[in-house]
Amino acid sequence: MDVSALTDFLDEIWSREIVPELVDYIAIPAKSPHFDPDWQTTGHIDRAVEHMVHWAKAKLEEIPGATLEVVRLGGRTPVILIEAPGEIDDTVLLYGHLDKQPEMTGWSEGLGPWTPVIRNERLYGRGGADDGYAIYASTAALLALQRQNVRRAHCVVLIEACEESGSYDLPFYVDHLADRIGSPSLVICLDSGCGNYDQLWVTTSLRGLAGGLLTVEVLEEGVHSGDASGVAPDSFRIARALLSRIEDEASGEIRLDALRVQVPAERIDQAKVAAAALGEELWRKFPFAGGTRPLTTDGVELVLNRTWRPQLAVVGAEGLPPPQSAGNVLRPRTTLKLSVRLPPTADAGAAQQALTAALTTDPPQGAEVRFDGNQASSGWNAPPLAPWLEQSLQRASQAAFGREAALMGEGGTIPFIGMLGEKFPHSQFVITGVLGPHSNAHGPNEFLHIPTARNLTACAAMILADHAQQAAR
């Protein structure tokens, strides 16, 4: 492969075509079904699908035998399936998603979730980096190989529309498309993060997720706090006490054994290398308010905290009126939405059961307590890298970024990867992405770092070429 020709081609297609396409995609509020239950009526997911299909289908005409199909199962979000026959009798699966997180408040002036803006090679707006760029990068990588007549395996590109809701539709599609997906020896996922924008980052593990809605009800209706406080319990106090069964409120350490695991020795060694490479950026990248400090400034502990240790976050609440309309009333109930990140090898089902038992058993003052555990996704721990793939990653990173590749676990959850890990235990995985420092996926001011996405596309093309050479042996 002519690496110079590869990068020239990708520079041009990214600047002339992909970035403008992503600008239009960001403007579509294609929120995941969990955040837009009426997605079939609003039509935004279908608009995003049509937008991507229009571009990709035209590009695939250059690749002999390549096909694109929008697959729809009744009542489920659609998937985009691309098949590109190859010269090698093997299969590579490339994965991404097009659904988005909700708006979130706090965007800087001039920016917004559906208002694409380019500043300093950053494309701001919801979904460009998480994970709208994936279909464009995957298609461009295939085109780059075709332009140079580089041999590769049969490639399947799968883009789902339910990832931000936990990918609950995806297992049905994986079963439905089993014959067409086959048994890939390599899976490339472009939905993860990167420690910086200077090198290729490969994800070695992903945390799982558990959680749901905790509701504490103490009264049938609100009553005057001057009359009832000190007689009737406060629902928020009881909710707070229940959370203390799960988490040490002083340290943030999770107390439930079912939510904790022993960290593998090799992951600790990798955390040391990653912490040394990233330094204080591990915590300085976050917009701490005022004098707020990180839990620790020990880089290794921070890496392990965000990749292998369980953590609780209260991500939403109901029953609490806004301050300007909050009277002196003892409220009847409090509902909290809980999100617990689980270690990669923790059993999500067992964790969810442990959460339910801890929160609902013998509640204080006999309050009515319900826990609707509507999330349970296990994490993933990567199998050891095959020697050829380890060498390929390093070559690709040096060629595209000018630096060595780095390995680190990620704190997020990609349910599809855990599912594939179980289904294809002998496959190799390249889990990577463009969500780096300050990119703020799911939050305000989310952005795609364009040069990193372009370089990552080049890495994907080079890895596909190396995979074909290995598979042909």
Side-chain angles (χ1 to χ4, degrees), residues 47 59 118 145 184 241-242 292 301 315 349 368 387 402 407 438 455:
R47 284 175 57 207
K59 294 301 166 189
I118 299 176
L145 296 177
L242 293 172
T292 307
E301 291 302 302
V315 298
E368 289 289 325
L407 300 111
H438 311 289
N455 290 340

Side-chain angles (χ1 to χ4, degrees), residues 126-452:
R126 182 69 83 227
D130 183 23
D131 181 39
Y133 85 102
I135 188 171
Y136 301 99
S138 299
T139 303
L142 295 175
L143 279 175
L145 296 177
Q146 183 65 33
R147 291 286 179 96
Q148 295 194 38
N149 295 314
V150 175
R151 298 201 311 164
R152 56 168 174 75
H154 171 230
C155 288
V156 177
V157 181
L158 184 66
I159 307 296
E160 67 158 314
C162 191
E163 193 274 344
E164 301 291 5
S165 299
S167 294
Y168 57 76
D169 283 340
L170 197 56
F172 299 92
Y173 282 104
V174 171
D175 290 342
H176 179 71
L177 300 170
D179 291 342
R180 298 169 70 174
I181 294 174
S183 298
S185 63
L186 175 64
V187 176
I188 298 177
C189 169
L190 301 175
D191 186 32
S192 193
C194 53
N196 56 36
Y197 301 115
D198 303 326
Q199 59 202 121
L200 172 64
W201 286 84
V202 179
T203 299
T204 56
S205 62
L206 295 160
R207 283 192 291 188
L209 188 64
L213 297 177
L214 170 65
T215 299
V216 176
E217 189 166 14
V218 297
L219 297 165
E220 294 182 355
E221 60 184 8
V223 296
H224 194 300
S225 63
D227 185 27
S229 61
V231 178
D234 178 72
S235 62
F236 186 85
R237 177 180 64 80
I238 292 178
R240 183 179 61 185
L242 293 172
L243 293 184
S244 293
R245 297 178 178 181
I246 298 170
E247 175 194 60
D248 182 325
E249 61 268 26
S251 67
E253 183 178 350
I254 296 298
R255 290 175 159 145
L256 301 182
D257 288 340
L259 278 62
R260 300 185 297 191
V261 303
Q262 183 71 35
V263 183
E266 66 270 22
R267 299 307 184 216
I268 296 176
D269 291 339
Q270 290 169 351
K272 293 176 181 178
V273 174
L278 296 174
E280 291 186 351
E281 182 63 19
L282 276 166
W283 58 273
R284 290 194 181 278
K285 68 180 182 178
F286 296 108
F288 289 105
T292 307
R293 300 184 301 273
L295 295 178
T296 177
T297 54
D298 183 320
V300 177
E301 291 302 302
L302 288 178
V303 171
L304 294 175
N305 279 351
R306 67 179 289 275
T307 59
W308 275 91
R309 291 176 182 144
Q311 306 290 339
L312 168 67
V314 178
V315 298
E318 193 173 61
L320 295 163
Q324 63 270 22
S325 58
N328 292 318
V329 173
L330 197 67
R331 298 174 299 101
R333 69 189 61 82
T334 296
T335 297
L336 302 178
K337 184 175 182 180
L338 309 182
S339 174
V340 181
R341 295 291 177 176
L342 302 173
T345 55
D347 184 323
Q352 192 77 294
Q353 289 178 5
L355 282 173
T356 301
L359 292 169
T360 59
T361 301
D362 191 21
Q365 275 80 60
E368 289 289 325
V369 175
R370 300 184 300 277
F371 182 63
D372 178 15
N374 54 17
Q375 297 182 39
S377 298
S378 292
W380 172 80
N381 189 27
L385 286 173
W388 77 265
L389 182 54
E390 190 168 5
Q391 295 168 12
S392 177
L393 295 171
Q394 295 298 337
R395 282 195 301 267
S397 186
Q398 289 286 359
F401 290 92
R403 278 192 62 180
E404 73 284 356
L407 300 111
M408 184 172 67
E410 281 293 333
T413 305
I414 308 176
F416 180 57
I417 300 305
M419 183 195 319
L420 281 187
E422 292 182 2
K423 196 173 185 66
F424 305 115
H426 303 298
S427 297
Q428 288 286 289
F429 288 82
V430 176
I431 314 301
T432 186
V434 296
L435 296 169
H438 311 289
S439 60
N440 213 22
H442 299 191
N445 306 328
E446 179 181 325
F447 68 78
L448 169 73
H449 190 258
I450 296 171
T452 297

Side-chain angles (χ1 to χ4, degrees), residues 19-32:
V19 170
E21 288 289 321
L22 285 171
V23 165
D24 291 340
Y25 160 76
I26 285 172
I28 303 172
K31 290 186 287 188
S32 199

Side-chain angles (χ1 to χ4, degrees), residues 84-161:
E87 298 79 15
I88 305 299
D89 186 20
D90 204 338
T91 300
V92 178
L93 177 62
L94 298 97
Y95 165 85
H97 70 88
L98 59 83
D99 56 313
K100 307 180 185 185
Q101 283 279 321
E103 294 86 342
M104 189 69 173
T105 59
W107 291 76
S108 297
E109 185 176 356
L111 303 179
W114 326 123
T115 306
V117 174
I118 299 176
R119 294 178 184 171
N120 300 320
E121 297 192 293
R122 297 176 173 185
L123 173 55
Y124 288 88
R126 182 69 83 227
D130 183 23
D131 181 39
Y133 85 102
I135 188 171
Y136 301 99
S138 299
T139 303
L142 295 175
L143 279 175
L145 296 177
Q146 183 65 33
R147 291 286 179 96
Q148 295 194 38
N149 295 314
V150 175
R151 298 201 311 164
R152 56 168 174 75
H154 171 230
C155 288
V156 177
V157 181
L158 184 66
I159 307 296
E160 67 158 314

